[in-house]
Amino acid sequence: AQSVTQLDSQVPVFEEAPVELRCNYSSSVSVYLFWYVQYPNQGLQLLLKYLSGSTLVKGINGFEAEFNKSQTSFHLRKPSVHISDTAEYFCAVFGNQFYFGTGTSLTVIP
Amino acid sequence: DTGVSQDPRHKITKRGQNVTFRCDPISEHNRLYWYRQTLGQGPEFLTYFQNEAQLEKSRLLSDRFSAERPKGSFSTLEIQRTEQGDSAMYLCASSRQGDTGELFFGEGSRLTVL
């Protein structure tokens, strides 16, 4: 079985500041890792994914994430956030099925 | 490519009534998933189809819930004898078999049970 833990339910950050959203997972099998974003009143859309290879993956809108197998983490980062990044962010793991974390609400403060 | 569409977007019903949601996946996607999302939670897996076959059902899916995908295209999710605890956003997603995981989500159907 797989599971995902998002350690922060809410993250407020000032515009143009860096941000890190934390995600840890557990699994007894090899997994693929994902970050999805949900803007208000919209469906979830894929930000980035880790399948194999380089542990640093880059996604849309300037986001990136680093896979750390020893720490079973897949933290999401952005060096400078914009107001438009205000949204809910979900980490997900796919082994034999998709499992989502409970989400982190990112609020960018002007 | 029109994306995944769900209907209706919002449904308000009285406790005890039946409701049905429809999902139209991306046309070439043979996998279709249903998730439920409540406030402050991530999407919870309910069930998924590969073509017309329902391959997995979550223990969350009580006997009051039934899902179909009769021709391997659109799917319906029916909830019978709704309860207030069924109030949630019901999300549909689709993907291609063999793709390494990207799910394409619809905008969801929000159910409110009074």
Side-chain angles (χ1 to χ4, degrees):
Chain A
Q2 297 92 47
S3 67
V4 177
T5 302
Q6 291 184 244
L7 299 166
D8 307 296
S9 59
Q10 295 184 330
V11 174
V13 62
F14 287 103
E15 192 175 14
E16 297 184 5
V19 70
E20 178 180 83
L21 307 183
R22 296 180 292 169
C23 172
N24 287 88
Y25 71 94
S26 67
S27 177
S28 56
V29 300
S30 296
V31 295
Y32 302 133
L33 295 159
F34 303 81
W35 277 96
Y36 281 81
V37 60
Q38 188 174 32
Y39 298 104
N41 299 315
Q42 294 187 27
L44 282 80
Q45 56 183 280
L46 182 69
L47 261 184
L48 49 78
K49 60 184 176 182
Y50 171 78
L51 305 178
S52 64
S54 172
T55 57
L56 183 65
V57 292
K58 295 187 182 298
I60 61 172
N61 301 337
F63 283 92
E64 62 182 32
E66 186 158 19
F67 170 61
N68 188 317
K69 187 174 183 179
S70 63
Q71 297 185 1
T72 61
S73 67
F74 191 55
H75 300 334
L76 181 71
R77 302 185 182 99
K78 186 170 182 178
S80 175
V81 295
H82 301 287
I83 296 291
S84 59
D85 293 324
T86 293
E88 193 81 17
Y89 292 80
F90 295 96
C91 182
V93 61
F94 179 78
N96 56 354
Q97 184 50 270
F98 265 97
Y99 295 93
F100 287 83
T102 52
T104 298
S105 178
L106 174 64
T107 301
V108 180
I109 305 163
Chain B
D1 179 2
T2 57
V4 178
S5 62
Q6 293 187 244
D7 183 71
R9 293 289 311 280
H10 302 275
K11 178 71 176 179
I12 300 173
T13 191
K14 293 183 179 179
R15 188 177 51 174
Q17 299 295 305
N18 299 344
V19 297
T20 300
F21 300 112
R22 175 180 170 124
C23 172
D24 287 89
I26 293 171
S27 57
E28 64 266 28
H29 286 182
N30 60 350
R31 286 189 171 177
L32 186 148
Y33 299 78
W34 285 100
Y35 286 84
R36 180 171 65 189
Q37 186 179 19
T38 54
L39 197 63
Q41 298 296 318
E44 295 175 298
F45 170 75
L46 294 179
T47 188
Y48 95 94
F49 294 84
Q50 183 163 298
N51 300 312
E52 65 275 10
Q54 188 172 18
L55 295 188
E56 189 172 343
K57 290 171 59 172
S58 165
R59 287 171 292 177
L60 292 175
L61 214 63
S62 78
D63 291 344
R64 298 184 297 105
F65 287 70
S66 62
E68 294 182 341
R69 194 182 182 198
K71 297 182 180 179
S73 56
F74 73 92
S75 175
T76 57
L77 176 69
E78 182 183 17
I79 309 173
Q80 297 181 324
R81 305 181 303 281
T82 52
E83 302 173 357
Q84 288 185 324
D86 297 332
S87 295
M89 179 76 84
Y90 290 86
L91 302 172
C92 178
S94 69
S95 70
R96 269 190 293 247
Q97 180 185 3
D99 274 5
T100 44
E102 182 173 357
L103 295 180
F104 293 81
F105 281 86
E107 294 184 338
S109 293
R110 182 171 295 283
L111 173 64
T112 301
V113 181
L114 302 176

